[in-house]
Amino acid sequence: MTNAEADPLLLLRQSIASGGAIIPTTTADPSPNIPEVPLAQATHLQFTHPARVAIPIDAPTRFVSNDRPVDLRSIYFAWLNREIAIPDYNASATKLNDELAGTAAVHKFAFVERLDLITWLEGASEESEYIKPLIGEKDGAPASATAVAATSKTVLVSSSARSGRGTLDPRLAQIYSGERRMGDRNTALRGIKPTDFSHVRKVAQPFMSRKTSSSTNTGSSIPSGVAIPSHQKPARRPDPIILLSPSASSLLRMSNVKAFLEGGRYTPPDHNSTTSMLHLSRIMKDIDPNRPMRFILVEGPEQFKPEYWNRVVAVFTTGQAWQFKNYRWSNPGDLFKHVLGVYLGWRGEQPPESIKSYGHRVLACSIEGWRDAGAPGAESSRWRDREVVEQIWKAIETNMRAKGWRKDAAPTSI
């Protein structure tokens, strides 16, 4: 079994991609028909695809939080509870820890860690700042991409070879189990013997010194004799964060903000929605015209680490002071000196006095009043929504540039 196939994190991602069964058990025996047990009683996690194998449920994974590897039980538990809000997730984790009775403990992920993990497990992202690369891999992304591609290929072949009753022919299953997995050109060219190229440095040193000397003579600030490593990978730019108002009177909530900020059309919020975080992408032309920036949207900073506040680029507010109670700056005057404020109201209505008192630090925008979709002229009244959305994004982008956001870097303080 290869490193990729034996890795618990990659096995879980492959099983999710293929729809294979993942069974908590009390035995290391990977045989079929092993009974499923509750997660608090399980000692192993049995995977059925791409290989039938049982992994200890407390096995450490490559996902690192606070410089410590997170165990497989915590990873799988976070995936099972990916649809619920952060408070409900924390309550479920506390309940499971009580059932474990001190024999083990489920790690509670911070909201950014949880979003990053779920995005990677779903296959929507090939990289994660919290996941270490596989042993022998320079970068974890190529191995992950190759493994997922191989999984998809196996699923297609298996589906086409199923008999009329919807089951796989046992003889074909035996043949498939003996198939040799083919890698891509990166794994094929890497080989099994590491090659030492340190002698190249001595050969290249005179040329590098000559080049840097000529650069210095033409006004370059690079010191003579210093070689610049061209293979160095730039640091991953963190995702900016937008905070929404949790107030029930807010026109923008988690249920409708994506359609408004991405689609340019306002719809009333669904107050029964339990979504606690989401992300959207947008090209910020004056910061990075070639790569879209991914924004994280959340209603509260309960799961924030101190450094997350340096990534907050906008705060949507209704003007109610209780919204800022748990913020880094609980006083609105101090808050909006560091972060752009945005107020969204109905056209023709005056903003609250609290919004006016914040002055130019809060952008006040107005949209047309909502009409039922079946009412005459309802659709035509929404053409101005996109104009308001562009006004908001322009203010966010201007504020981000002023705070130090760049194509490959984010501010260390705001």
Side-chain angles (χ1 to χ4, degrees):
M1 185 176 290
T2 64
N3 289 339
E5 292 171 336
D7 179 63
L9 205 58
L10 205 50
L11 276 172
L12 180 58
R13 189 184 195 210
Q14 292 173 357
S15 295
I16 292 170
S18 63
I22 304 171
I23 308 169
T25 68
T26 56
T27 176
D29 183 9
S31 303
N33 303 323
I34 297 294
E36 182 175 354
V37 299
L39 206 57
Q41 302 173 14
T43 59
H44 290 75
L45 208 59
Q46 184 183 114
F47 298 92
T48 58
H49 190 90
R52 183 172 288 277
V53 60
I55 303 292
I57 202 165
D58 57 354
T61 68
R62 292 180 291 116
F63 193 98
V64 178
S65 175
N66 297 324
D67 298 326
R68 297 182 60 184
V70 180
D71 60 284
L72 181 58
R73 179 191 286 108
S74 301
I75 297 288
Y76 182 59
F77 179 77
W79 170 255
L80 292 177
N81 294 274
R82 62 191 180 279
E83 300 292 345
I84 66 176
I86 284 288
D88 298 331
Y89 162 73
N90 289 334
S92 300
T94 302
K95 180 180 178 182
L96 180 56
N97 285 335
D98 293 339
E99 295 174 357
L100 291 169
T103 58
V106 172
H107 175 78
K108 297 179 181 179
F109 291 92
F111 87 96
V112 173
E113 295 175 341
R114 181 170 174 239
L115 177 62
D116 202 76
L117 172 64
I118 293 171
T119 303
W120 187 85
L121 288 175
E122 289 177 337
S125 174
E126 292 299 336
E127 62 176 7
S128 169
E129 59 181 302
Y130 301 101
I131 298 177
K132 291 185 176 180
L134 286 168
I135 297 176
E137 294 290 344
K138 193 172 184 180
D139 192 344
S144 303
T146 303
V148 172
T151 301
S152 304
K153 180 179 178 181
T154 305
V155 172
L156 291 175
V157 173
S158 300
S159 300
S160 63
R162 291 182 182 276
S163 63
R165 293 180 298 173
T167 58
L168 186 64
D169 190 307
R171 291 172 296 177
L172 289 178
Q174 184 179 4
I175 294 172
Y176 292 147
S177 65
E179 284 185 340
R180 179 182 177 186
R181 285 220 178 104
M182 303 299 293
D184 60 6
R185 62 184 181 88
N186 294 318
T187 56
L189 293 174
R190 184 171 292 111
I192 59 174
K193 182 180 178 181
T195 305
D196 183 12
F197 290 100
S198 59
H199 65 283
V200 178
R201 184 186 299 272
K202 297 178 181 179
V203 178
Q205 187 63 38
F207 299 97
M208 297 299 296
S209 300
R210 192 180 308 164
K211 183 176 180 180
T212 51
S213 297
S214 61
S215 298
T216 304
N217 294 334
T218 56
S220 173
S221 59
I222 301 174
S224 176
V226 178
I228 303 174
S230 60
H231 61 277
Q232 186 173 357
K233 186 177 180 180
R236 183 175 182 266
R237 181 184 62 196
D239 298 329
I241 300 172
I242 296 177
L243 280 168
L244 302 181
S245 171
S247 173
S249 62
S250 176
L251 300 187
L252 286 181
R253 302 295 301 275
M254 297 297 289
S255 59
N256 68 340
V257 66
K258 189 177 179 72
F260 183 68
L261 292 181
E262 257 192 356
R265 188 179 188 280
Y266 179 80
T267 56
D270 177 10
H271 294 287
N272 295 321
S273 174
T274 58
T275 304
S276 59
M277 69 184 78
L278 53 86
H279 63 268
L280 55 85
S281 297
R282 180 180 173 90
I283 290 284
M284 309 299 278
K285 296 181 181 179
D286 292 340
I287 299 176
D288 189 350
N290 301 318
R291 182 175 51 155
M293 300 188 73
R294 187 175 74 164
F295 291 80
I296 298 175
L297 282 77
V298 66
E299 283 189 345
E302 289 78 12
Q303 302 297 322
F304 268 31
K305 293 181 180 179
E307 61 268 23
Y308 289 173
W309 280 103
N310 296 328
R311 295 159 56 181
V312 177
V313 296
V315 173
F316 282 79
T317 180
T318 57
Q320 297 166 293
W322 60 263
Q323 175 185 346
F324 318 121
K325 181 179 179 181
N326 297 323
Y327 281 25
R328 178 178 176 181
W329 302 281
S330 56
N331 182 284
D334 294 333
L335 172 66
F336 295 122
K337 288 180 182 178
H338 297 85
V339 183
L340 172 70
V342 181
Y343 168 79
L344 188 69
W346 298 121
R347 193 179 302 276
E349 295 183 0
Q350 291 294 323
E353 290 299 324
S354 57
I355 296 295
K356 295 179 180 179
S357 67
Y358 302 151
H360 68 279
R361 296 188 179 94
V362 175
L363 174 66
C365 303
S366 302
I367 58 174
E368 295 292 335
W370 174 255
R371 302 183 197 175
D372 184 54
E379 201 61 36
S380 60
S381 65
R382 305 256 57 93
W383 66 274
R384 289 184 176 177
D385 290 349
R386 183 170 293 277
E387 180 182 349
V388 176
V389 170
E390 292 301 322
Q391 181 185 5
I392 294 173
W393 278 119
K394 186 62 177 177
I396 292 176
E397 184 174 16
T398 302
N399 181 72
M400 289 177 65
R401 290 188 62 195
K403 294 298 182 182
W405 286 89
R406 298 293 181 265
K407 179 166 59 175
D408 53 0
T412 56
S413 63
I414 58 173

